[in-house]
Structure formats: structure tokens, C-alpha cells
Amino acid sequence: AQRVTQPEKLLSVFKGAPVELKCNYSYSGSPELFWYVQYSRQRLQLLLRHISRESIKGFTADLNKGETSFHLKKPFAQEEDSAMYYCALMVGNNDMRFGAGTRLTVKP
Amino acid sequence: DVKVTQSSRYLVKRTGEKVFLECVQDMDHENMFWYRQDPGLGLRLIYFSYDVKMKEKGDIPEGYSVSREKKERFSLILESASTNQTSMYLCASRVLGVSYNEQFFGPGTRLTVL
């Protein structure tokens, strides 16, 4: 079954510390993975997608097919990174499966 | 900028009422989606539509129906609202194509069923 697992519901780090939000997936095909972010009182928006191999707001995510993971990383967290983060897996051409989300809090 | 709008930010209804949630997008996207967002459960797909008058069930379609009569509008209908349908409802749209799989989300409708 296609599934996305984010094992941490809550994650708290201090400003300037590295942060890693974990995401594991289960999919028999070639995965297309995304990270979406929802800041307080804002709508859910795309942060980055693995196919673009981009770094957005200092965040990167590498697809590891051997470990079926797509962890989101940032070397130095900022207070404005505090938000809800969702990992998502594209299934087929139409369906997107989201994980349960991780709420990141960056403390001053 | 893609704009996805939802008819209400907050809605309070009574058990048994028929509820309509409307979503409109202005970028001529073929695909549209309805999710519910619950703490600890993330986003769960209720229904999606890949074109006008087309619809597919998602993971949790029970108690819901949808309508897509025009490309820009995708409606979610709760035929007889129940308290377990109290949730945040998110609409999204997406342009068709391998390179364009980003989903654009509306602001959400927080529905409370009493």
C-alpha cells in the first residue's frame, strides 16, 4: 500500500541548531515526493519537490530509495521556520498522499 | 499567482443539515481535490476530479459527495452532516502534466457540526 510516515508529530529545536524532519514512504513504483509547509494563519504551500533538487529557504531533502526516505534538513534553523510540515507522495498521475505532519517549533 | 478560494472560512451547522462547501480556482487547472485536515492524521483525500463532470473517490469518501459542473468550481457536499465531520476542509487544484505536480491550496474552511 502507498503510505507516507512522518514519525514525529512535534519537533522542537533552538535557533541556529540543525533540524531534520523525517519522512519515510512505501511505494512500489518510482516515487515523486514533496514537502509542503503551513505557516501560522497561512495556507498550505509547496516547499520543495525532490525532482527539482532545489534548496528553498535553506531547506534540502534527498531521496534515499534504499531507505525509502525523504528527510527534510536545514543546517541552521530560524524562528520563522516554525510551522507545520507535511511530506507528500505522488501516486499515479492524480493521487497525492500526505503524511500526518510534523509541527516544528524553533525556540529563540 | 494561482488563486484558490473557498466560500467560507468558518461554518457552523447542525447535525442532519445539508452542507455545501465551494471551491473556485482561476488558473484553468484540470485537477481539483478536497481534503480534510485533522490533527495527528494529516491530510486525507476525500474526492478528486481530473476534469469537468469527472470524479474519483479518495480515501474517505463516505458521507460526502462532490460536483464539478464547471472547470473552475469544485463543490463538496455533506448530505447529512454529522459531528464526526467537524474538521478543516482544504481544497486544492493542480495543472495536469508530469512537470507540474504542485498542488495549490485554498485557505481552508473550518466546519463545526453541532
Side-chain angles (χ1 to χ4, degrees):
Chain A
Q2 302 91 353
R3 189 168 56 243
V4 176
T5 304
Q6 293 179 251
E8 303 138 330
K9 285 194 167 69
L10 302 170
L11 185 61
S12 182
V13 300
F14 284 102
K15 177 182 170 182
V19 63
E20 180 180 69
L21 291 88
K22 291 185 167 49
C23 172
N24 290 92
Y25 66 91
S26 171
Y27 185 51
S28 55
S30 184
E32 188 172 351
L33 289 145
F34 305 79
W35 277 98
Y36 281 79
V37 61
Q38 189 169 29
Y39 301 103
S40 179
R41 300 183 194 282
Q42 293 187 28
R43 62 184 68 194
L44 196 60
Q45 59 188 287
L46 178 69
L47 180 61
L48 55 79
R49 70 198 97 189
H50 94 269
I51 202 166
S52 302
R53 296 184 180 274
E54 56 206 342
S55 172
I56 303 291
K57 299 185 178 183
F59 283 99
T60 58
D62 290 318
L63 175 61
N64 185 323
K65 289 187 179 180
E67 295 183 358
T68 59
S69 68
F70 187 56
H71 302 328
L72 183 69
K73 299 176 187 178
K74 185 168 182 176
F76 307 103
Q78 302 299 314
E79 288 180 71
E80 55 265 30
D81 296 327
S82 295
M84 192 75 177
Y85 291 81
Y86 292 96
C87 183
L89 167 70
M90 185 83 173
V91 175
N93 284 329
N94 288 310
D95 200 356
M96 187 86 84
R97 298 294 169 99
F98 286 83
T102 297
R103 182 169 295 284
L104 173 66
T105 302
V106 181
K107 295 181 284 191
Chain B
D1 261 1
V2 175
K3 261 292 179 49
V4 180
T5 57
Q6 295 182 229
S7 50
S8 307
R9 291 302 301 270
Y10 300 94
L11 211 52
V12 180
K13 296 291 181 181
R14 298 211 172 270
T15 302
E17 280 193 79
K18 190 168 185 175
V19 182
F20 292 87
L21 302 183
E22 304 284 341
C23 175
V24 177
Q25 50 96 2
D26 65 358
M27 285 300 289
D28 204 36
H29 285 175
E30 291 89 353
N31 295 177
M32 294 187 75
F33 306 81
W34 274 107
Y35 294 90
R36 60 179 283 176
Q37 183 183 30
D38 298 290
L41 296 176
L43 275 71
R44 291 179 292 165
L45 182 64
I46 305 171
Y47 268 96
F48 67 94
S49 168
Y50 48 90
D51 211 339
V52 177
K53 296 193 187 294
M54 302 293 195
K55 60 186 178 186
E56 292 283 341
K57 291 180 181 179
D59 294 326
I60 51 163
E62 296 79 19
Y64 303 94
S65 62
V66 289
S67 172
R68 185 129 181 243
E69 296 296 317
K70 293 185 177 181
K71 196 173 187 180
E72 67 270 19
R73 188 180 298 269
F74 191 34
S75 302
L76 180 70
I77 303 151
L78 288 68
E79 293 290 341
S80 177
S82 62
T83 53
N84 62 13
Q85 292 178 309
T86 291
S87 185
M88 173 69 88
Y89 289 87
L90 299 182
C91 175
S93 75
R94 185 182 69 202
V95 64
L96 201 62
V98 175
S99 302
Y100 298 94
N101 287 321
E102 178 180 355
Q103 290 193 340
F104 295 89
F105 284 86
T109 295
R110 184 166 293 285
L111 172 68
T112 302
V113 182
L114 302 174

